[in-house]
Protein backbone atom coordinates (compact mmCIF):
# COMPACT_ATOMS: atom_id res chain seq x y z
CA UNK A 1 0.00 0.00 0.00
CA UNK A 2 2.83 2.37 0.89
CA UNK A 3 4.58 1.64 -2.46
CA UNK A 4 1.35 2.45 -4.33
CA UNK A 5 1.05 5.72 -2.42
CA UNK A 6 4.65 6.70 -3.18
CA UNK A 7 4.14 5.87 -6.87
CA UNK A 8 1.04 8.09 -6.87
CA UNK A 9 3.01 10.96 -5.33
CA UNK A 10 5.79 10.41 -7.86
CA UNK A 11 3.28 10.56 -10.74
CA UNK A 12 1.73 13.76 -9.41
CA UNK A 13 5.17 15.28 -9.00
CA UNK A 14 6.15 14.50 -12.60
CA UNK A 15 2.92 16.05 -13.87
CA UNK A 16 3.46 19.07 -11.62
CA UNK A 17 7.02 19.54 -12.83
CA UNK A 18 5.91 19.44 -16.47
CA UNK A 19 3.58 22.36 -15.88
CA UNK A 20 6.26 24.73 -14.55
CA UNK A 21 6.26 28.31 -15.77
CA UNK A 22 8.39 29.24 -18.72
CA UNK A 23 12.09 29.41 -17.88
CA UNK A 24 13.63 32.86 -18.32
CA UNK A 25 16.44 33.01 -15.74
CA UNK A 26 19.64 31.23 -16.76
CA UNK A 27 21.27 30.66 -13.36
CA UNK A 28 20.65 27.24 -11.80
CA UNK A 29 21.51 25.37 -8.60
CA UNK A 30 23.51 22.15 -8.58
CA UNK A 31 22.19 18.96 -7.03
CA UNK A 32 25.39 18.71 -4.98
CA UNK A 33 24.39 21.91 -3.18
CA UNK A 34 21.16 20.33 -1.89
CA UNK A 35 20.74 17.65 0.76
CA UNK A 36 17.84 16.25 2.78
CA UNK A 37 17.20 15.01 6.29
CA UNK A 38 13.99 13.04 6.85
CA UNK A 39 11.96 14.26 9.84
CA UNK A 40 8.56 13.42 11.31
CA UNK A 41 5.95 14.38 8.71
CA UNK A 42 8.39 15.51 6.03
CA UNK A 43 12.01 16.47 5.48
CA UNK A 44 14.45 19.33 5.96
CA UNK A 45 16.09 20.50 2.74
CA UNK A 46 19.52 22.06 3.23
CA UNK A 47 20.80 24.25 0.40
CA UNK A 48 23.73 26.42 -0.63
CA UNK A 49 22.85 29.18 -3.04
CA UNK A 50 25.25 30.16 -5.88
CA UNK A 51 27.25 33.32 -5.23
CA UNK A 52 25.28 35.56 -7.57
CA UNK A 53 23.64 38.89 -6.67
CA UNK A 54 20.81 38.27 -9.15
CA UNK A 55 19.46 35.40 -7.02
CA UNK A 56 16.69 36.52 -4.68
CA UNK A 57 14.81 33.34 -3.73
CA UNK A 58 14.99 29.57 -3.89
CA UNK A 59 11.64 27.91 -4.48
CA UNK A 60 10.68 24.27 -3.87
CA UNK A 61 7.43 22.82 -5.22
CA UNK A 62 5.98 19.41 -4.32
CA UNK A 63 2.69 17.71 -3.53
CA UNK A 64 1.84 16.76 0.02
CA UNK A 65 0.20 13.57 1.29
CA UNK A 66 -3.24 14.78 0.23
CA UNK A 67 -2.32 15.92 -3.30
CA UNK A 68 -2.11 19.62 -2.43
CA UNK A 69 0.47 21.69 -4.28
CA UNK A 70 2.95 23.03 -1.69
CA UNK A 71 5.47 25.82 -2.33
CA UNK A 72 8.29 26.68 0.07
CA UNK A 73 10.72 29.57 -0.43
CA UNK A 74 14.06 30.51 1.12
CA UNK A 75 16.87 33.03 0.69
CA UNK A 76 20.47 33.79 1.68
CA UNK A 77 19.20 34.57 5.18
CA UNK A 78 18.81 30.86 5.86
CA UNK A 79 20.22 27.55 4.69
CA UNK A 80 17.27 25.17 5.06
CA UNK A 81 13.55 24.70 4.39
CA UNK A 82 11.04 22.38 6.04
CA UNK A 83 9.06 20.32 3.55
CA UNK A 84 6.05 19.11 5.52
CA UNK A 85 2.53 17.83 4.89
CA UNK A 86 3.13 14.06 5.05
CA UNK A 87 1.70 11.32 7.27
CA UNK A 88 3.28 7.87 6.77
CA UNK A 89 6.96 7.54 5.89
CA UNK A 90 7.64 7.54 2.16
CA UNK A 91 10.66 7.29 -0.14
CA UNK A 92 11.55 9.26 -3.28
CA UNK A 93 8.96 12.03 -3.06
CA UNK A 94 9.48 14.21 -6.17
CA UNK A 95 10.05 17.95 -5.95
CA UNK A 96 11.11 20.77 -8.21
CA UNK A 97 13.71 23.38 -7.19
CA UNK A 98 14.11 26.72 -8.96
CA UNK A 99 15.94 29.99 -8.38
CA UNK A 100 14.20 33.35 -8.80
CA UNK A 101 15.50 36.87 -9.23
CA UNK A 102 13.91 40.08 -7.95
CA UNK A 103 11.57 40.15 -10.93
CA UNK A 104 10.51 36.56 -10.12
CA UNK A 105 12.00 35.26 -13.34
CA UNK A 106 12.64 31.57 -12.78
CA UNK A 107 15.63 29.37 -13.55
CA UNK A 108 15.63 25.92 -15.10
CA UNK A 109 13.95 23.63 -12.51
CA UNK A 110 15.99 20.89 -10.86
CA UNK A 111 14.00 17.71 -10.25
CA UNK A 112 14.94 16.08 -6.96
CA UNK A 113 13.61 13.40 -4.61
CA UNK A 114 13.46 13.20 -0.80
CA UNK A 115 12.37 10.77 1.93
CA UNK A 116 10.09 11.39 4.90
CA UNK A 117 9.45 9.81 8.31
CA UNK A 118 6.11 8.99 9.89
CA UNK A 119 4.34 12.11 11.12
CA UNK A 120 3.65 12.42 14.85
CA UNK A 121 -0.04 11.41 14.46
CA UNK A 122 1.14 8.12 12.90
CA UNK A 123 4.24 7.51 15.02
CA UNK A 124 2.06 8.08 18.11
CA UNK A 125 0.54 4.61 17.72
CA UNK A 126 3.86 2.78 17.62
CA UNK A 127 4.34 3.37 21.33
CA UNK A 128 0.71 3.79 22.38
CA UNK A 129 -1.04 1.34 24.67
CA UNK A 130 -4.37 1.22 26.48
CA UNK A 131 -4.47 -0.71 29.74
CA UNK A 132 -6.95 -1.34 32.57
CA UNK A 133 -7.36 1.26 35.28
CA UNK A 134 -9.57 1.90 38.28
CA UNK A 135 -13.11 2.64 37.04
CA UNK A 136 -11.83 3.28 33.54
CA UNK A 137 -8.66 2.90 31.48
CA UNK A 138 -5.20 4.33 31.04
CA UNK A 139 -3.56 5.55 27.81
CA UNK A 140 0.23 5.63 27.58
CA UNK A 141 2.33 6.79 24.63
CA UNK A 142 6.08 7.17 24.27
CA UNK A 143 8.39 10.04 23.30
CA UNK A 144 7.89 11.53 19.86
CA UNK A 145 10.11 13.29 17.37
CA UNK A 146 9.59 17.01 17.18
CA UNK A 147 6.30 17.69 15.45
CA UNK A 148 2.64 18.44 16.01
CA UNK A 149 -0.60 16.53 16.18
CA UNK A 150 -3.71 15.88 18.24
CA UNK A 151 -5.30 12.77 19.66
CA UNK A 152 -8.99 12.18 20.36
CA UNK A 153 -9.95 9.49 22.89
CA UNK A 154 -13.37 7.79 22.76
CA UNK A 155 -15.06 4.83 24.39
CA UNK A 156 -18.13 2.89 23.30
CA UNK A 157 -21.07 3.54 25.60
CA UNK A 158 -24.68 4.70 25.78
CA UNK A 159 -25.33 8.11 24.25
CA UNK A 160 -27.41 9.98 26.89
CA UNK A 161 -29.24 11.96 24.20
CA UNK A 162 -30.20 9.12 21.86
CA UNK A 163 -30.17 6.26 24.39
CA UNK A 164 -28.28 4.23 21.79
CA UNK A 165 -24.78 2.81 21.80
CA UNK A 166 -22.32 5.35 20.46
CA UNK A 167 -18.66 6.30 20.38
CA UNK A 168 -18.33 8.93 23.11
CA UNK A 169 -15.52 11.48 23.22
CA UNK A 170 -13.77 11.76 26.59
CA UNK A 171 -10.73 13.91 25.78
CA UNK A 172 -8.84 15.74 23.03
CA UNK A 173 -5.21 16.62 23.71
CA UNK A 174 -2.05 17.75 21.89
CA UNK A 175 0.51 14.97 21.47
CA UNK A 176 3.49 15.82 23.66
CA UNK A 177 7.05 15.27 22.48
CA UNK A 178 8.03 13.77 25.86
CA UNK A 179 5.16 11.24 25.79
CA UNK A 180 2.57 10.97 28.55
CA UNK A 181 0.28 8.75 30.61
CA UNK A 182 -3.38 9.74 30.92
CA UNK A 183 -5.98 8.16 33.19
CA UNK A 184 -9.68 8.22 32.32
CA UNK A 185 -12.40 7.58 34.90
CA UNK A 186 -15.64 6.87 33.07
CA UNK A 187 -19.12 7.96 34.12
CA UNK A 188 -20.60 4.81 32.59
CA UNK A 189 -19.23 1.86 34.53
CA UNK A 190 -18.72 -1.28 32.44
CA UNK A 191 -16.84 -4.48 33.10
CA UNK A 192 -15.11 -4.19 29.72
CA UNK A 193 -14.54 -1.12 27.57
CA UNK A 194 -13.88 -0.58 23.88
CA UNK A 195 -11.48 2.33 23.47
CA UNK A 196 -10.99 4.23 20.21
CA UNK A 197 -8.11 6.64 19.62
CA UNK A 198 -7.97 8.85 16.53
CA UNK A 199 -5.23 11.28 15.55
CA UNK A 200 -5.13 14.30 13.29
CA UNK A 201 -2.42 16.68 12.12
CA UNK A 202 -2.21 20.39 12.83
CA UNK A 203 -4.17 21.16 9.65
CA UNK A 204 -7.17 19.16 10.84
CA UNK A 205 -6.69 16.11 8.60
CA UNK A 206 -7.70 12.83 10.22
CA UNK A 207 -4.64 10.61 10.05
CA UNK A 208 -5.10 7.28 11.80
CA UNK A 209 -7.31 5.31 14.17
CA UNK A 210 -6.77 2.33 16.46
CA UNK A 211 -9.27 0.36 18.55
CA UNK A 212 -8.58 -1.51 21.80
CA UNK A 213 -11.33 -3.97 22.71
CA UNK A 214 -12.12 -5.76 25.98
CA UNK A 215 -10.19 -3.38 28.21
CA UNK A 216 -11.07 -4.40 31.74
CA UNK A 217 -12.22 -1.68 34.13
CA UNK A 218 -11.15 -2.52 37.66
CA UNK A 219 -13.82 -1.52 40.17
CA UNK A 220 -12.78 -0.31 43.62
CA UNK A 221 -14.56 -0.10 46.94
CA UNK A 222 -13.84 1.59 50.23
CA UNK A 223 -12.91 -0.68 53.09
CA UNK A 224 -14.80 -0.26 56.35
CA UNK A 225 -12.45 1.05 59.02
CA UNK A 226 -13.35 -1.98 61.13
CA UNK A 227 -11.87 -4.27 58.46
CA UNK A 228 -8.31 -2.95 58.75
CA UNK A 229 -6.00 -1.81 61.53
CA UNK A 230 -3.85 1.34 61.70
CA UNK A 231 -0.56 0.26 63.26
CA UNK A 232 1.97 2.60 64.89
CA UNK A 233 5.26 0.65 65.14
CA UNK A 234 7.34 3.81 65.71
CA UNK A 235 5.07 5.12 68.51
CA UNK A 236 4.25 8.32 66.65
CA UNK A 237 0.58 8.75 67.62
CA UNK A 238 -0.33 11.48 70.05
CA UNK A 239 -3.23 10.55 72.36
CA UNK A 240 -4.58 13.54 74.28
CA UNK A 241 -8.24 13.48 75.28
CA UNK A 242 -7.98 16.93 76.89
CA UNK A 243 -7.46 18.36 73.41
CA UNK A 244 -9.48 15.68 71.58
CA UNK A 245 -6.47 14.44 69.63
CA UNK A 246 -6.00 10.77 68.84
CA UNK A 247 -6.02 7.97 66.27
CA UNK A 248 -9.74 7.25 66.77
CA UNK A 249 -10.60 10.56 65.08
CA UNK A 250 -9.17 9.23 61.81
CA UNK A 251 -12.16 6.90 61.54
CA UNK A 252 -15.10 8.85 63.02
CA UNK A 253 -16.54 9.82 59.60
CA UNK A 254 -15.91 13.55 60.08
CA UNK A 255 -14.29 14.52 56.78
CA UNK A 256 -14.58 18.32 56.92
CA UNK A 257 -14.48 19.37 60.57
CA UNK A 258 -18.12 19.09 61.63
CA UNK A 259 -17.24 18.26 65.24
CA UNK A 260 -14.95 21.25 65.68
CA UNK A 261 -17.32 23.76 64.09
CA UNK A 262 -18.42 26.30 66.69
CA UNK A 263 -16.37 24.74 69.52
CA UNK A 264 -14.65 27.18 71.87
CA UNK A 265 -11.38 26.14 73.45
CA UNK A 266 -8.62 23.73 72.51
CA UNK A 267 -10.52 20.66 71.38
CA UNK A 268 -9.67 19.57 67.84
CA UNK A 269 -11.25 16.15 67.15
CA UNK A 270 -8.47 15.19 64.78
CA UNK A 271 -5.28 13.17 64.46
CA UNK A 272 -1.86 14.60 65.30
CA UNK A 273 1.54 12.94 65.60
CA UNK A 274 4.17 13.43 68.22
CA UNK A 275 7.22 15.55 67.24
CA UNK A 276 9.65 14.41 64.56
CA UNK A 277 7.15 12.36 62.56
CA UNK A 278 8.08 13.85 59.17
CA UNK A 279 9.88 11.17 57.17
CA UNK A 280 8.40 8.41 59.35
CA UNK A 281 5.67 5.87 58.64
CA UNK A 282 2.58 4.01 59.82
CA UNK A 283 1.39 0.55 58.72
CA UNK A 284 -2.12 -0.38 57.60
CA UNK A 285 -2.98 -4.04 58.23
CA UNK A 286 -5.67 -5.16 55.75
CA UNK A 287 -6.03 -8.46 57.66
CA UNK A 288 -5.72 -10.46 54.42
CA UNK A 289 -4.23 -10.13 50.94
CA UNK A 290 -6.04 -7.40 48.98
CA UNK A 291 -5.41 -5.60 45.69
CA UNK A 292 -4.99 -1.97 46.87
CA UNK A 293 -6.37 0.89 44.78
CA UNK A 294 -5.67 4.06 46.80
CA UNK A 295 -5.12 5.60 50.20
CA UNK A 296 -6.92 8.88 50.87
CA UNK A 297 -5.93 11.43 53.55
CA UNK A 298 -8.29 14.31 54.43
CA UNK A 299 -7.64 17.72 55.93
CA UNK A 300 -10.02 19.74 58.12
CA UNK A 301 -11.58 22.78 56.48
CA UNK A 302 -11.12 26.17 58.15
CA UNK A 303 -13.88 25.96 60.78
CA UNK A 304 -11.97 27.28 63.79
CA UNK A 305 -8.67 28.75 64.96
CA UNK A 306 -5.55 26.70 65.71
CA UNK A 307 -3.90 27.43 69.05
CA UNK A 308 -2.08 25.14 71.51
CA UNK A 309 0.91 23.46 69.79
CA UNK A 310 -0.44 24.40 66.34
CA UNK A 311 0.96 27.96 66.64
CA UNK A 312 -2.09 29.17 64.68
CA UNK A 313 -0.91 27.15 61.67
CA UNK A 314 -2.57 23.95 60.47
CA UNK A 315 -1.66 23.45 56.82
CA UNK A 316 2.07 23.19 57.55
CA UNK A 317 1.37 19.91 59.35
CA UNK A 318 -0.46 18.36 56.38
CA UNK A 319 1.47 16.08 53.97
CA UNK A 320 2.58 17.32 50.59
CA UNK A 321 4.55 14.15 49.76
CA UNK A 322 3.45 10.61 50.62
CA UNK A 323 4.75 7.20 49.55
CA UNK A 324 2.83 3.93 49.92
CA UNK A 325 4.58 0.57 50.03
CA UNK A 326 3.09 -2.93 49.97
CA UNK A 327 4.21 -6.14 51.68
CA UNK A 328 2.96 -9.48 52.93
CA UNK A 329 5.51 -9.63 55.75
CA UNK A 330 5.70 -6.40 57.72
CA UNK A 331 8.73 -7.61 59.68
CA UNK A 332 10.83 -8.26 56.57
CA UNK A 333 12.44 -4.93 55.62
CA UNK A 334 13.37 -6.23 52.17
CA UNK A 335 9.80 -7.21 51.27
CA UNK A 336 8.36 -3.71 50.96
CA UNK A 337 7.59 -2.62 47.37
CA UNK A 338 6.79 0.97 46.38
CA UNK A 339 3.30 0.94 44.87
CA UNK A 340 1.99 4.52 45.21
CA UNK A 341 3.32 8.08 45.38
CA UNK A 342 1.86 11.57 45.79
CA UNK A 343 3.70 14.88 45.55
CA UNK A 344 2.92 18.59 45.47
CA UNK A 345 5.43 21.37 46.00
CA UNK A 346 5.81 22.21 49.71
CA UNK A 347 5.60 25.91 48.74
CA UNK A 348 2.47 25.45 46.59
CA UNK A 349 -0.11 28.19 47.13
CA UNK A 350 -2.70 27.98 44.34
CA UNK A 351 -5.97 26.08 44.56
CA UNK A 352 -5.04 23.89 41.59
CA UNK A 353 -1.58 23.14 42.97
CA UNK A 354 -2.31 22.46 46.63
CA UNK A 355 -4.84 19.89 47.83
CA UNK A 356 -4.94 21.56 51.29
CA UNK A 357 -5.68 25.03 49.87
CA UNK A 358 -9.22 25.20 51.33
CA UNK A 359 -8.06 24.03 54.76
CA UNK A 360 -6.74 27.54 55.33
CA UNK A 361 -9.10 29.50 53.06
CA UNK A 362 -10.64 32.62 54.55
CA UNK A 363 -13.28 33.52 55.62
CA UNK A 364 -13.72 31.00 58.39
CA UNK A 365 -16.73 28.68 58.05
CA UNK A 366 -19.10 29.33 60.95
CA UNK A 367 -22.43 27.86 59.85
CA UNK A 368 -23.37 24.20 59.47
CA UNK A 369 -25.20 24.93 56.22
CA UNK A 370 -22.10 26.56 54.72
CA UNK A 371 -19.96 23.59 55.76
CA UNK A 372 -22.43 21.11 54.26
CA UNK A 373 -22.14 22.90 50.91
CA UNK A 374 -18.35 22.61 50.85
CA UNK A 375 -16.48 19.74 49.27
CA UNK A 376 -13.93 17.94 51.48
CA UNK A 377 -10.21 18.50 50.94
CA UNK A 378 -8.05 15.42 50.53
CA UNK A 379 -5.00 13.93 48.83
CA UNK A 380 -5.31 10.62 47.04
CA UNK A 381 -2.32 8.30 46.71
CA UNK A 382 -3.25 6.30 43.62
CA UNK A 383 -1.95 2.75 43.24
CA UNK A 384 -1.60 1.37 39.72
CA UNK A 385 -3.71 -1.53 38.52
CA UNK A 386 -2.05 -4.84 39.29
CA UNK A 387 -2.94 -8.40 40.26
CA UNK A 388 -0.50 -8.22 43.21
CA UNK A 389 -2.07 -8.70 46.62
CA UNK A 390 -0.75 -7.21 49.83
CA UNK A 391 -1.78 -7.58 53.42
CA UNK A 392 0.22 -4.61 54.69
CA UNK A 393 0.52 -1.04 53.41
CA UNK A 394 3.24 1.27 54.71
CA UNK A 395 2.17 4.93 54.73
CA UNK A 396 5.25 7.16 54.74
CA UNK A 397 4.86 10.94 55.10
CA UNK A 398 7.98 12.21 53.37
CA UNK A 399 7.33 15.92 53.93
CA UNK A 400 4.68 18.51 54.84
CA UNK A 401 3.64 21.87 53.38
CA UNK A 402 5.52 25.05 54.26
CA UNK A 403 3.87 28.27 55.36
CA UNK A 404 5.14 30.73 52.77
CA UNK A 405 3.22 33.74 54.12
CA UNK A 406 3.88 34.05 57.84
CA UNK A 407 6.97 31.89 58.19
CA UNK A 408 6.98 28.22 59.05
CA UNK A 409 6.59 27.36 62.74
CA UNK A 410 6.39 23.57 62.48
CA UNK A 411 9.82 23.33 64.06
CA UNK A 412 9.02 20.04 65.76
CA UNK A 413 7.95 18.33 62.51
CA UNK A 414 4.42 17.41 63.54
CA UNK A 415 2.23 15.52 61.05
CA UNK A 416 -1.54 15.70 60.91
CA UNK A 417 -4.35 14.41 58.71
CA UNK A 418 -8.01 14.48 59.61
CA UNK A 419 -9.47 11.26 58.19
CA UNK A 420 -8.02 8.17 56.51
CA UNK A 421 -9.70 5.91 53.92
CA UNK A 422 -8.46 2.80 52.13
CA UNK A 423 -9.79 1.61 48.77
CA UNK A 424 -9.24 -1.86 47.29
CA UNK A 425 -10.37 -3.82 44.26
CA UNK A 426 -14.01 -4.84 44.50
CA UNK A 427 -14.32 -8.63 44.46
Amino acid sequence: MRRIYCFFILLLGIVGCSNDDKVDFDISISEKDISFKPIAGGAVMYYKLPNDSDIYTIRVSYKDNFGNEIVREGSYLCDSLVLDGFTEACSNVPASVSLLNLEERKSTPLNIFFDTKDAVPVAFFKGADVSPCWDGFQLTYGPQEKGTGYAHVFYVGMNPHTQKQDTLLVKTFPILQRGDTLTFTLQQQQDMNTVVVRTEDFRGYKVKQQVWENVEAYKMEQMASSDFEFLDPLKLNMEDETHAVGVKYLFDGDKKGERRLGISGDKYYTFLSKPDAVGKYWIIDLKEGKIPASVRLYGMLFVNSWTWIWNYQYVNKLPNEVTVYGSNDKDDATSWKKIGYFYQSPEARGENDKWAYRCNLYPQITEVQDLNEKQPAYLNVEIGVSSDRYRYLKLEVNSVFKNTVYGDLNLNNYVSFHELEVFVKKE
Side-chain angles (χ1 to χ4, degrees):
M1 182 66 186
R2 183 174 294 181
R3 292 181 178 178
I4 296 175
Y5 160 72
C6 292
F7 176 77
F8 176 70
I9 290 293
L10 175 62
L11 182 61
L12 289 175
I14 293 173
V15 172
C17 292
S18 67
N19 292 328
D20 281 344
D21 297 338
K22 183 178 179 181
V23 176
D24 52 6
F25 182 42
D26 59 3
I27 299 175
S28 61
I29 190 169
S30 171
E31 189 171 352
K32 66 181 179 61
D33 292 324
I34 295 176
S35 62
F36 294 94
K37 176 185 175 182
I39 61 172
V44 177
M45 186 187 86
Y46 297 93
Y47 60 85
K48 181 181 179 182
L49 293 176
N51 187 17
D52 193 306
S53 60
D54 286 341
I55 298 173
Y56 177 65
T57 301
I58 182 172
R59 177 179 292 173
V60 184
S61 301
Y62 63 94
K63 291 187 182 294
D64 69 7
N65 204 143
F66 304 94
N68 301 313
E69 184 73 32
I70 306 296
V71 176
R72 297 285 183 261
E73 293 187 348
S75 67
Y76 285 106
L77 299 178
C78 193
D79 66 352
S80 63
L81 291 170
V82 175
L83 313 182
D84 55 10
F86 298 88
T87 53
E88 294 188 3
C90 192
S91 301
N92 296 321
V93 178
S96 174
V97 180
S98 301
L99 301 175
L100 285 79
N101 64 10
L102 284 170
E103 298 175 351
E104 292 198 354
R105 295 167 59 192
K106 189 164 61 173
S107 70
T108 301
L110 172 67
N111 295 324
I112 55 174
F113 300 88
F114 61 90
D115 300 338
T116 73
K117 288 185 177 181
D118 287 332
V120 167
V122 172
F124 168 88
F125 289 100
K126 292 184 177 179
D129 184 52
V130 172
S131 57
C133 191
W134 300 110
D135 296 327
F137 60 90
Q138 181 173 276
L139 170 64
T140 302
Y141 64 95
Q144 309 291 314
E145 288 199 28
K146 187 176 181 180
T148 57
Y150 296 91
H152 309 278
V153 182
F154 305 80
Y155 76 100
V156 177
M158 185 67 68
N159 188 316
H161 300 292
T162 64
Q163 297 301 310
K164 295 181 179 179
Q165 193 175 64
D166 200 354
T167 304
L168 308 175
L169 177 68
V170 289
K171 190 177 181 67
T172 293
F173 60 90
I175 300 171
L176 303 179
Q177 187 175 354
R178 59 175 170 80
D180 203 359
T181 296
L182 299 96
T183 299
F184 301 92
T185 301
L186 304 180
Q187 292 182 344
Q188 297 181 24
Q189 294 299 308
Q190 307 173 111
D191 293 335
M192 296 288 180
N193 289 299
T194 297
V195 180
V196 180
V197 180
R198 299 171 185 163
T199 57
E200 67 177 53
D201 64 19
F202 71 101
R203 298 183 297 176
Y205 288 109
K206 295 180 180 178
V207 176
K208 195 170 182 179
Q209 172 177 298
Q210 187 167 333
V211 178
W212 284 266
E213 296 181 335
N214 299 320
V215 180
E216 183 177 1
Y218 279 42
K219 292 182 173 59
M220 70 170 73
E221 62 181 354
Q222 181 183 341
M223 290 188 69
S225 59
S226 58
D227 291 339
F228 64 87
E229 187 175 358
F230 188 71
L231 306 179
D232 181 24
L234 303 182
K235 308 302 181 185
L236 300 173
N237 296 351
M238 182 183 293
E239 299 292 340
D240 186 333
E241 277 305 307
T242 301
H243 297 93
V245 166
V247 70
K248 68 180 181 181
Y249 298 109
L250 283 177
F251 310 106
D252 62 358
D254 178 1
K255 298 180 181 181
K256 296 185 285 187
E258 292 92 337
R259 299 183 68 177
R260 181 155 164 73
L261 179 68
I263 294 294
S264 61
D266 293 334
K267 283 188 174 292
Y268 300 93
Y269 303 101
T270 195
F271 171 79
L272 178 68
S273 76
K274 295 176 182 177
D276 299 318
V278 175
K280 306 293 179 55
Y281 65 87
W282 291 264
I283 292 177
I284 302 169
D285 182 358
L286 304 180
K287 304 294 182 68
E288 61 178 324
K290 298 279 189 180
I291 298 178
S294 71
V295 176
R296 187 174 294 180
L297 304 179
Y298 288 79
M300 189 187 301
L301 301 186
F302 183 40
V303 297
N304 216 319
S305 59
W306 296 91
T307 54
W308 189 42
I309 62 175
W310 304 91
N311 290 317
Y312 297 95
Q313 298 186 42
Y314 174 58
V315 174
N316 65 351
K317 284 112 182 142
L318 298 177
N320 73 289
E321 183 179 12
V322 178
T323 305
V324 173
Y325 301 86
S327 172
N328 288 302
D329 184 354
K330 64 182 177 61
D331 299 318
D332 180 0
T334 64
S335 68
W336 293 100
K337 178 182 178 182
K338 181 179 178 180
I339 58 175
Y341 180 71
F342 176 91
Y343 175 82
Q344 289 179 336
S345 170
E347 287 85 21
R349 299 179 63 178
E351 184 172 8
N352 296 326
D353 305 315
K354 187 175 187 175
W355 73 266
Y357 175 83
R358 288 181 296 111
C359 297
N360 202 33
L361 180 63
Y362 289 85
Q364 178 181 319
I365 302 169
T366 58
E367 301 294 333
V368 174
Q369 181 178 348
D370 290 342
L371 184 61
N372 291 338
E373 293 174 354
K374 304 293 184 182
Q375 293 296 316
Y378 61 85
L379 71 84
N380 197 47
V381 185
E382 297 182 356
I383 299 170
V385 168
S386 170
S387 59
D388 295 335
R389 293 178 176 271
Y390 300 100
R391 173 172 173 173
Y392 301 101
L393 303 179
K394 181 191 291 186
L395 179 69
E396 184 174 282
V397 176
N398 308 110
S399 62
V400 293
F401 286 108
K402 304 295 182 183
N403 190 323
T404 58
V405 178
Y406 302 108
D408 194 85
L409 298 179
N410 188 12
L411 302 178
N412 291 317
N413 290 317
Y414 291 105
V415 170
S416 182
F417 35 92
H418 188 57
E419 194 83 2
L420 183 147
E421 294 176 344
V422 177
F423 293 82
V424 297
K425 182 183 180 183
K426 186 176 182 180
E427 295 180 296

